[in-house]
Amino acid sequence: MINAVLVFNNSGQPRLTKFYTQLDTAVQQRLISEIFTLVANRPSSSCNFLPLPPLLAPSKSSTTAPASSAPTDTPSLITYRHYATLYFILISTSTESPLALLDLIQVFVEALDRLFENVCELDLIFHFETLHAVLGEMIVGGVVVETGLEKVVRGVREQGKIMRRTGNTGGRSGGLGGGILGGFGLRGV
């Protein structure tokens, strides 16, 4: 199960925070701060998986159930990808495959890129409803329901959530550069 989806910029400002499990607002804020600090301080050569910080990690002092190697439904893993100026982060249980979560992040970013025609951070700020619509097509109640890029993009377009920018000539004359995927060679994927 996906417990949360977070998107931060390089300065630590949240651009999306979607929690699928009930948490107190103060705990959410501390968790967001801790996760950004953990992820931002990692070298780019490190793997994209981290254990969850102690704030939400299950306590080991609980002795009500016998210890077993069976997967649990408690949040335990952080999976993230860093694209240009944004970090895309998933908090999940041990029942989710970390590699599948990386693929989920990739599809999420590619869907945004297709919908915004070269997405950048400003698109996420000014068109947050589209960001939430894409997420809603892919994850419902913490369960991944769709990972097909074409189906996700078609579903969002059918919802009528895309607000075309006026005067879009295909290129960017301002903003934050060539978009999230601009320098990663993902156009042919």
Side-chain angles (χ1 to χ4, degrees), residues 99-149:
L99 294 177
L101 293 176
L102 279 177
D103 186 51
L104 181 68
I105 293 171
Q106 181 72 24
V107 171
F108 182 52
V109 172
E110 284 187 34
L112 291 171
D113 196 53
R114 284 205 189 167
L115 290 165
F116 288 116
E117 300 165 6
N118 207 5
V119 67
C120 71
E121 184 178 352
L122 290 176
D123 292 320
L124 305 185
I125 295 169
F126 293 116
H127 303 288
F128 62 89
E129 67 281 348
T130 303
L131 180 66
H132 284 276
V134 171
L135 192 60
E137 286 288 320
M138 297 178 73
I139 303 171
V140 175
V143 177
V144 178
V145 293
E146 185 59 63
T147 59
L149 179 60

Side-chain angles (χ1 to χ4, degrees), residues 1-3 48-50 71-73 76-81 90-106 139 142 144 147:
M1 177 178 171
I2 308 293
N3 298 96
N48 294 347
F49 313 110
L50 286 167
T72 63
D73 203 27
S76 62
L77 181 66
I78 299 170
T79 305
Y80 72 96
R81 289 282 308 260
L90 298 175
I91 300 173
S92 66
T93 62
S94 62
T95 58
E96 295 290 334
S97 164
L99 294 177
L101 293 176
L102 279 177
D103 186 51
L104 181 68
I105 293 171
Q106 181 72 24
I139 303 171
V144 178
T147 59

Side-chain angles (χ1 to χ4, degrees), residues 2 4-6 19 33 51-52 57 60 81 83 106 111 114 121 132 135 145 147 152 167 171 178-179 181 187 189:
I2 308 293
V5 178
L6 309 171
F19 286 87
S33 175
L52 193 65
K60 293 183 170 115
R81 289 282 308 260
Y83 293 98
Q106 181 72 24
R114 284 205 189 167
E121 184 178 352
H132 284 276
L135 192 60
V145 293
T147 59
V152 171
L181 297 176
R187 285 287 175 208
V189 177

